[in-house]
Amino acid sequence: DAMVIQNPRYQVTQFGKPVTLSCSQTLNHNVMYWYQQKSSQAPKLLFHYYDKDFNNEADTPDNFQSRRPNTSFCFLDIRSPGLGDAAMYLCATSRDRGLGQPQHFGDGTRLSIL
Amino acid sequence: AQSVAQPEDQVNVAEGNPLTVKCTYSVSGNPYLFWYVQYPNRGLQFLLKYITGDNLVKGSYGFEAEFNKSQTSFHLKKPSALVSDSALYFCAVTLTSGTYKYIFGTGTRLKVLA
């Protein structure tokens, strides 16, 4: 089945220690998104790639970076995690932007900060 | 400002009874409307969407939603609730022109009681 896979499902890191979360997709979608979700709140968009074009949200802290080396993979790097960065991180894909395209979500990585 | 409201934080319904989860929106322009469901420690799963055409949209797992332009609403419904429908439900809106990003509601927790 075509899907969006996030690894690891659970990640524990230390305060200030860089961490990388990964996302892969077999849907061959052009767009890949990263969301942060806290405590059953609505997901908050951090940034997205439209093909190779990176689009950052205005309120995404500089501490958060992303890489998309190819169509299938996208990474979220948190350079110096703080306690406030503990959250569920969701990766999603869509075939295109807008045009009523639904987004397909992975099961997330739950990040804990010690 | 564009916004989506889910006025109920939680909805309780008895198994076998009909359920409704409410969503209203305020956007400038024509909307695309979506419903997603999130089970514990999982990503969001797409249920259904309204793009254009028939105001009654049918989706996955027996869910349906009715688009009401005059009331700017897109309520999610199911004729007979199952205990397994218990989850967190998000309504989301994008615009047919301009921004493609999701505007999420705050989510409604549905509890179906046996």
Side-chain angles (χ1 to χ4, degrees):
Chain A
D1 281 345
M3 53 201 316
V4 181
I5 300 169
Q6 292 188 243
N7 283 307
R9 292 294 317 279
Y10 300 90
Q11 176 73 56
V12 181
T13 191
Q14 292 178 335
F15 181 92
K17 186 173 181 180
V19 66
T20 295
L21 310 181
S22 75
C23 176
S24 64
Q25 57 130 341
T26 61
L27 296 159
N28 203 31
H29 282 173
N30 287 322
V31 193
M32 294 187 78
Y33 308 83
W34 280 104
Y35 289 89
Q36 180 191 65
Q37 186 182 27
K38 293 186 176 182
S39 309
S40 299
Q41 296 175 19
K44 178 180 182 296
L45 182 64
L46 295 173
F47 27 59
H48 77 276
Y49 273 94
Y50 183 68
D51 196 10
K52 297 178 182 178
D53 183 29
F54 178 70
N55 297 266
N56 200 23
E57 293 300 299
D59 58 354
T60 298
D62 292 340
N63 201 23
F64 291 84
Q65 306 282 319
S66 186
R67 296 169 283 135
R68 188 179 185 185
N70 54 53
T71 300
S72 301
F73 286 86
C74 197
F75 300 97
L76 170 62
D77 301 308
I78 308 176
R79 291 192 298 188
S80 181
L83 296 179
D85 297 328
M88 173 79 94
Y89 290 88
L90 296 168
C91 174
T93 72
S94 64
R95 185 153 43 92
D96 206 332
R97 286 190 307 205
L99 305 177
Q101 296 288 320
Q103 293 184 17
H104 301 260
F105 286 80
D107 280 336
T109 294
R110 186 169 295 282
L111 180 65
S112 300
I113 314 293
L114 298 180
Chain B
Q2 329 270 25
S3 65
V4 176
Q6 292 182 242
E8 300 152 320
D9 289 337
Q10 182 160 316
V11 170
N12 295 328
V13 64
E15 187 175 31
N17 281 4
L19 69 87
T20 299
V21 182
K22 295 179 181 176
C23 173
T24 59
Y25 62 90
S26 174
V27 299
S28 53
N30 293 317
Y32 294 132
L33 296 148
F34 302 82
W35 275 103
Y36 285 83
V37 60
Q38 187 176 29
Y39 297 99
N41 292 314
R42 302 292 299 274
L44 278 65
Q45 290 182 37
F46 169 69
L47 280 178
L48 49 80
K49 66 179 180 181
Y50 173 81
I51 302 297
T52 187
D54 193 348
N55 289 342
L56 184 65
V57 179
K58 293 190 183 296
S60 306
Y61 313 121
F63 284 93
E64 58 189 28
E66 186 163 14
F67 172 62
N68 187 318
K69 188 172 183 178
S70 63
Q71 298 186 4
T72 63
S73 67
F74 190 56
H75 300 330
L76 182 70
K77 301 184 180 191
K78 187 174 183 182
S80 178
L82 299 172
V83 172
S84 57
D85 293 329
S86 299
L88 185 58
Y89 290 80
F90 288 102
C91 179
V93 175
T94 64
L95 298 178
T96 59
S97 63
T99 182
Y100 48 83
K101 289 182 276 192
Y102 278 177
I103 305 163
F104 280 101
T106 50
T108 298
R109 189 165 298 283
L110 173 68
K111 272 192 152 179
V112 182
L113 307 167

Short mmCIF file of all heavy atoms in Angstrom, two decimals, chain A residues 40-78:
data_model
loop_
_atom_site.label_atom_id
_atom_site.label_comp_id
_atom_site.label_asym_id
_atom_site.label_seq_id
_atom_site.Cartn_x
_atom_site.Cartn_y
_atom_site.Cartn_z
N SER A 40 -3.27 17.23 21.53
CA SER A 40 -4.57 17.14 20.86
C SER A 40 -5.05 18.48 20.29
O SER A 40 -6.24 18.63 20.01
CB SER A 40 -5.64 16.58 21.81
OG SER A 40 -5.29 15.29 22.23
N GLN A 41 -4.13 19.42 20.14
CA GLN A 41 -4.48 20.66 19.44
C GLN A 41 -4.44 20.42 17.94
O GLN A 41 -4.00 19.37 17.47
CB GLN A 41 -3.48 21.76 19.82
CG GLN A 41 -3.51 22.15 21.28
CD GLN A 41 -2.43 23.17 21.60
OE1 GLN A 41 -1.89 23.84 20.72
NE2 GLN A 41 -2.12 23.30 22.88
N ALA A 42 -4.89 21.41 17.18
CA ALA A 42 -4.79 21.31 15.73
C ALA A 42 -3.32 21.31 15.32
O ALA A 42 -2.49 21.98 15.95
CB ALA A 42 -5.52 22.48 15.08
N PRO A 43 -2.97 20.59 14.28
CA PRO A 43 -1.59 20.63 13.79
C PRO A 43 -1.22 22.03 13.32
O PRO A 43 -2.04 22.74 12.76
CB PRO A 43 -1.61 19.65 12.62
CG PRO A 43 -2.79 18.78 12.85
CD PRO A 43 -3.80 19.63 13.52
N LYS A 44 0.04 22.39 13.55
CA LYS A 44 0.56 23.70 13.15
C LYS A 44 1.60 23.49 12.07
O LYS A 44 2.58 22.79 12.28
CB LYS A 44 1.17 24.41 14.37
CG LYS A 44 1.77 25.77 14.08
CD LYS A 44 2.34 26.37 15.35
CE LYS A 44 2.91 27.75 15.11
NZ LYS A 44 4.06 27.73 14.21
N LEU A 45 1.39 24.09 10.92
CA LEU A 45 2.30 23.92 9.80
C LEU A 45 3.63 24.62 10.09
O LEU A 45 3.65 25.81 10.42
CB LEU A 45 1.68 24.47 8.52
CG LEU A 45 2.49 24.31 7.24
CD1 LEU A 45 2.69 22.83 6.89
CD2 LEU A 45 1.80 25.03 6.08
N LEU A 46 4.73 23.87 9.95
CA LEU A 46 6.07 24.44 10.13
C LEU A 46 6.64 24.92 8.80
O LEU A 46 7.14 26.04 8.68
CB LEU A 46 7.00 23.40 10.74
CG LEU A 46 6.67 22.93 12.15
CD1 LEU A 46 7.58 21.76 12.54
CD2 LEU A 46 6.77 24.06 13.15
N PHE A 47 6.59 24.03 7.81
CA PHE A 47 7.08 24.35 6.46
C PHE A 47 6.64 23.24 5.52
O PHE A 47 6.12 22.21 5.94
CB PHE A 47 8.60 24.52 6.38
CG PHE A 47 9.41 23.76 7.41
CD1 PHE A 47 9.34 22.40 7.53
CD2 PHE A 47 10.25 24.45 8.26
CE1 PHE A 47 10.10 21.72 8.46
CE2 PHE A 47 11.02 23.79 9.21
CZ PHE A 47 10.94 22.42 9.31
N HIS A 48 6.88 23.48 4.23
CA HIS A 48 6.61 22.43 3.26
C HIS A 48 7.55 22.57 2.08
O HIS A 48 8.14 23.64 1.84
CB HIS A 48 5.15 22.46 2.79
CG HIS A 48 4.83 23.55 1.81
ND1 HIS A 48 4.52 24.84 2.18
CD2 HIS A 48 4.76 23.52 0.45
CE1 HIS A 48 4.28 25.56 1.12
NE2 HIS A 48 4.42 24.80 0.05
N TYR A 49 7.71 21.47 1.37
CA TYR A 49 8.43 21.45 0.09
C TYR A 49 7.43 21.24 -1.03
O TYR A 49 6.61 20.32 -0.97
CB TYR A 49 9.44 20.30 0.06
CG TYR A 49 10.78 20.62 0.65
CD1 TYR A 49 11.05 20.33 1.98
CD2 TYR A 49 11.78 21.21 -0.12
CE1 TYR A 49 12.29 20.62 2.53
CE2 TYR A 49 13.02 21.50 0.43
CZ TYR A 49 13.27 21.20 1.75
OH TYR A 49 14.50 21.49 2.28
N TYR A 50 7.50 22.08 -2.02
CA TYR A 50 6.80 21.83 -3.28
C TYR A 50 7.88 21.43 -4.26
O TYR A 50 8.63 22.27 -4.77
CB TYR A 50 6.05 23.07 -3.74
CG TYR A 50 5.26 22.84 -5.00
CD1 TYR A 50 4.17 22.00 -5.00
CD2 TYR A 50 5.62 23.47 -6.19
CE1 TYR A 50 3.44 21.79 -6.15
CE2 TYR A 50 4.91 23.25 -7.35
CZ TYR A 50 3.81 22.41 -7.33
OH TYR A 50 3.10 22.19 -8.48
N ASP A 51 7.98 20.15 -4.52
CA ASP A 51 9.11 19.58 -5.25
C ASP A 51 10.38 19.95 -4.48
O ASP A 51 10.51 19.59 -3.31
CB ASP A 51 9.12 20.09 -6.69
CG ASP A 51 10.01 19.26 -7.59
OD1 ASP A 51 10.47 18.19 -7.14
OD2 ASP A 51 10.26 19.67 -8.74
N LYS A 52 11.30 20.70 -5.06
CA LYS A 52 12.53 21.07 -4.35
C LYS A 52 12.44 22.46 -3.71
O LYS A 52 13.39 22.91 -3.06
CB LYS A 52 13.72 21.02 -5.31
CG LYS A 52 14.00 19.65 -5.87
CD LYS A 52 15.17 19.66 -6.84
CE LYS A 52 15.41 18.28 -7.44
NZ LYS A 52 16.51 18.30 -8.43
N ASP A 53 11.35 23.10 -3.91
CA ASP A 53 11.16 24.48 -3.45
C ASP A 53 10.72 24.48 -1.98
O ASP A 53 9.63 24.01 -1.66
CB ASP A 53 10.13 25.16 -4.34
CG ASP A 53 9.93 26.61 -3.96
OD1 ASP A 53 10.88 27.23 -3.46
OD2 ASP A 53 8.81 27.12 -4.18
N PHE A 54 11.56 25.03 -1.10
CA PHE A 54 11.28 25.06 0.34
C PHE A 54 10.45 26.29 0.69
O PHE A 54 10.77 27.40 0.25
CB PHE A 54 12.60 25.07 1.11
CG PHE A 54 12.43 25.16 2.60
CD1 PHE A 54 11.93 24.08 3.32
CD2 PHE A 54 12.78 26.31 3.29
CE1 PHE A 54 11.78 24.16 4.69
CE2 PHE A 54 12.64 26.41 4.66
CZ PHE A 54 12.15 25.32 5.37
N ASN A 55 9.40 26.09 1.48
CA ASN A 55 8.52 27.18 1.88
C ASN A 55 8.37 27.18 3.40
O ASN A 55 7.74 26.30 3.97
CB ASN A 55 7.15 27.01 1.23
CG ASN A 55 7.22 27.08 -0.28
OD1 ASN A 55 7.03 28.13 -0.87
ND2 ASN A 55 7.49 25.94 -0.91
N ASN A 56 8.95 28.18 4.03
CA ASN A 56 8.93 28.26 5.48
C ASN A 56 7.73 29.10 5.93
O ASN A 56 7.34 30.05 5.26
CB ASN A 56 10.23 28.94 5.94
CG ASN A 56 10.54 28.65 7.39
OD1 ASN A 56 10.08 27.67 7.94
ND2 ASN A 56 11.32 29.51 8.01
N GLU A 57 7.14 28.73 7.06
CA GLU A 57 6.10 29.57 7.64
C GLU A 57 6.77 30.70 8.42
O GLU A 57 7.84 30.53 9.01
CB GLU A 57 5.20 28.76 8.57
CG GLU A 57 4.37 27.72 7.84
CD GLU A 57 3.47 28.35 6.80
OE1 GLU A 57 2.60 29.16 7.18
OE2 GLU A 57 3.64 28.02 5.61
N ALA A 58 6.11 31.86 8.43
CA ALA A 58 6.72 33.06 9.00
C ALA A 58 7.03 32.89 10.49
O ALA A 58 8.00 33.46 11.00
CB ALA A 58 5.80 34.26 8.79
N ASP A 59 6.22 32.10 11.19
CA ASP A 59 6.40 31.99 12.63
C ASP A 59 7.13 30.70 13.04
O ASP A 59 7.15 30.37 14.23
CB ASP A 59 5.04 32.09 13.35
CG ASP A 59 4.06 31.03 12.88
OD1 ASP A 59 4.37 30.30 11.92
OD2 ASP A 59 2.97 30.94 13.47
N THR A 60 7.74 30.02 12.11
CA THR A 60 8.52 28.82 12.45
C THR A 60 9.88 29.26 12.97
O THR A 60 10.60 30.00 12.29
CB THR A 60 8.68 27.91 11.22
OG1 THR A 60 7.40 27.47 10.80
CG2 THR A 60 9.55 26.71 11.55
N PRO A 61 10.24 28.82 14.18
CA PRO A 61 11.54 29.24 14.73
C PRO A 61 12.71 28.76 13.87
O PRO A 61 12.64 27.70 13.24
CB PRO A 61 11.57 28.56 16.11
CG PRO A 61 10.14 28.26 16.43
CD PRO A 61 9.47 28.00 15.12
N ASP A 62 13.80 29.54 13.90
CA ASP A 62 15.00 29.20 13.13
C ASP A 62 15.60 27.87 13.57
O ASP A 62 16.39 27.26 12.84
CB ASP A 62 16.05 30.30 13.28
CG ASP A 62 15.61 31.59 12.63
OD1 ASP A 62 14.72 31.52 11.75
OD2 ASP A 62 16.15 32.66 12.98
N ASN A 63 15.27 27.45 14.75
CA ASN A 63 15.74 26.18 15.31
C ASN A 63 15.29 24.98 14.49
O ASN A 63 15.85 23.89 14.59
CB ASN A 63 15.16 26.09 16.73
CG ASN A 63 15.89 25.14 17.61
OD1 ASN A 63 17.06 24.85 17.38
ND2 ASN A 63 15.20 24.64 18.63
N PHE A 64 14.26 25.16 13.68
CA PHE A 64 13.70 24.09 12.88
C PHE A 64 14.17 24.25 11.43
O PHE A 64 14.01 25.31 10.84
CB PHE A 64 12.17 24.11 12.92
CG PHE A 64 11.58 23.74 14.24
CD1 PHE A 64 11.43 24.69 15.24
CD2 PHE A 64 11.17 22.44 14.49
CE1 PHE A 64 10.89 24.35 16.47
CE2 PHE A 64 10.62 22.10 15.72
CZ PHE A 64 10.48 23.06 16.71
N GLN A 65 14.73 23.16 10.91
CA GLN A 65 15.19 23.15 9.53
C GLN A 65 14.64 21.90 8.84
O GLN A 65 14.20 20.96 9.51
CB GLN A 65 16.72 23.12 9.48
CG GLN A 65 17.40 24.23 10.29
CD GLN A 65 17.39 25.54 9.57
OE1 GLN A 65 17.61 25.61 8.37
NE2 GLN A 65 17.12 26.62 10.30
N SER A 66 14.73 21.89 7.53
CA SER A 66 14.25 20.72 6.80
C SER A 66 15.11 20.47 5.58
O SER A 66 15.75 21.40 5.05
CB SER A 66 12.79 20.90 6.39
OG SER A 66 12.27 19.73 5.83
N ARG A 67 15.16 19.22 5.17
CA ARG A 67 15.88 18.81 3.95
C ARG A 67 15.00 17.85 3.18
O ARG A 67 14.32 17.01 3.79
CB ARG A 67 17.19 18.09 4.32
CG ARG A 67 18.20 18.93 5.05
CD ARG A 67 19.32 18.03 5.60
NE ARG A 67 18.94 17.30 6.79
CZ ARG A 67 19.20 16.01 6.99
NH1 ARG A 67 19.78 15.29 6.06
NH2 ARG A 67 18.85 15.43 8.13
N ARG A 68 15.08 17.96 1.87
CA ARG A 68 14.39 16.99 1.02
C ARG A 68 15.36 16.56 -0.06
O ARG A 68 15.42 17.16 -1.14
CB ARG A 68 13.11 17.58 0.42
CG ARG A 68 12.27 16.51 -0.30
CD ARG A 68 11.00 17.08 -0.88
NE ARG A 68 10.17 16.03 -1.45
CZ ARG A 68 9.03 16.24 -2.12
NH1 ARG A 68 8.60 17.49 -2.32
NH2 ARG A 68 8.34 15.23 -2.58
N PRO A 69 16.11 15.51 0.19
CA PRO A 69 17.14 15.10 -0.77
C PRO A 69 16.59 14.51 -2.07
O PRO A 69 17.28 14.54 -3.09
CB PRO A 69 17.94 14.05 0.00
CG PRO A 69 17.01 13.54 1.06
CD PRO A 69 16.12 14.68 1.39
N ASN A 70 15.40 13.97 -2.02
CA ASN A 70 14.76 13.42 -3.22
C ASN A 70 13.25 13.42 -3.01
O ASN A 70 12.76 13.83 -1.94
CB ASN A 70 15.28 12.01 -3.53
CG ASN A 70 15.15 11.07 -2.35
OD1 ASN A 70 14.06 10.93 -1.79
ND2 ASN A 70 16.24 10.42 -1.97
N THR A 71 12.51 12.97 -4.00
CA THR A 71 11.04 13.02 -3.93
C THR A 71 10.50 12.24 -2.75
O THR A 71 9.50 12.61 -2.14
CB THR A 71 10.45 12.46 -5.24
OG1 THR A 71 10.91 13.24 -6.32
CG2 THR A 71 8.92 12.49 -5.21
N SER A 72 11.15 11.14 -2.40
CA SER A 72 10.58 10.21 -1.43
C SER A 72 10.85 10.58 0.02
O SER A 72 10.11 10.15 0.90
CB SER A 72 11.12 8.80 -1.69
OG SER A 72 10.80 8.38 -2.99
N PHE A 73 11.92 11.30 0.28
CA PHE A 73 12.33 11.51 1.66
C PHE A 73 12.32 12.99 2.04
O PHE A 73 12.66 13.86 1.23
CB PHE A 73 13.74 10.96 1.90
CG PHE A 73 13.81 9.47 1.97
CD1 PHE A 73 13.94 8.72 0.81
CD2 PHE A 73 13.71 8.81 3.19
CE1 PHE A 73 13.98 7.34 0.86
CE2 PHE A 73 13.75 7.43 3.25
CZ PHE A 73 13.89 6.69 2.08
N CYS A 74 11.98 13.22 3.32
CA CYS A 74 12.06 14.58 3.86
C CYS A 74 12.45 14.45 5.33
O CYS A 74 11.99 13.53 6.03
CB CYS A 74 10.71 15.29 3.73
SG CYS A 74 10.79 17.07 3.92
N PHE A 75 13.31 15.36 5.79
CA PHE A 75 13.81 15.31 7.16
C PHE A 75 13.49 16.61 7.88
O PHE A 75 13.49 17.69 7.27
CB PHE A 75 15.33 15.09 7.17
CG PHE A 75 15.75 13.81 6.51
CD1 PHE A 75 16.18 13.81 5.19
CD2 PHE A 75 15.71 12.62 7.20
CE1 PHE A 75 16.57 12.63 4.57
CE2 PHE A 75 16.09 11.43 6.58
CZ PHE A 75 16.51 11.43 5.27
N LEU A 76 13.23 16.47 9.17
CA LEU A 76 13.05 17.62 10.05
C LEU A 76 14.21 17.62 11.02
O LEU A 76 14.42 16.64 11.75
CB LEU A 76 11.72 17.52 10.79
CG LEU A 76 11.47 18.50 11.92
CD1 LEU A 76 11.46 19.93 11.41
CD2 LEU A 76 10.14 18.20 12.62
N ASP A 77 14.99 18.70 11.03
CA ASP A 77 16.11 18.84 11.94
C ASP A 77 15.76 19.90 12.98
O ASP A 77 15.38 21.01 12.63
CB ASP A 77 17.37 19.29 11.19
CG ASP A 77 17.79 18.32 10.10
OD1 ASP A 77 17.91 17.12 10.43
OD2 ASP A 77 17.97 18.75 8.95
N ILE A 78 15.95 19.54 14.25
CA ILE A 78 15.80 20.51 15.32
C ILE A 78 17.19 20.71 15.90
O ILE A 78 17.77 19.78 16.47
CB ILE A 78 14.81 20.05 16.39
CG1 ILE A 78 13.48 19.62 15.74
CG2 ILE A 78 14.55 21.17 17.39
CD1 ILE A 78 12.45 19.06 16.71
#
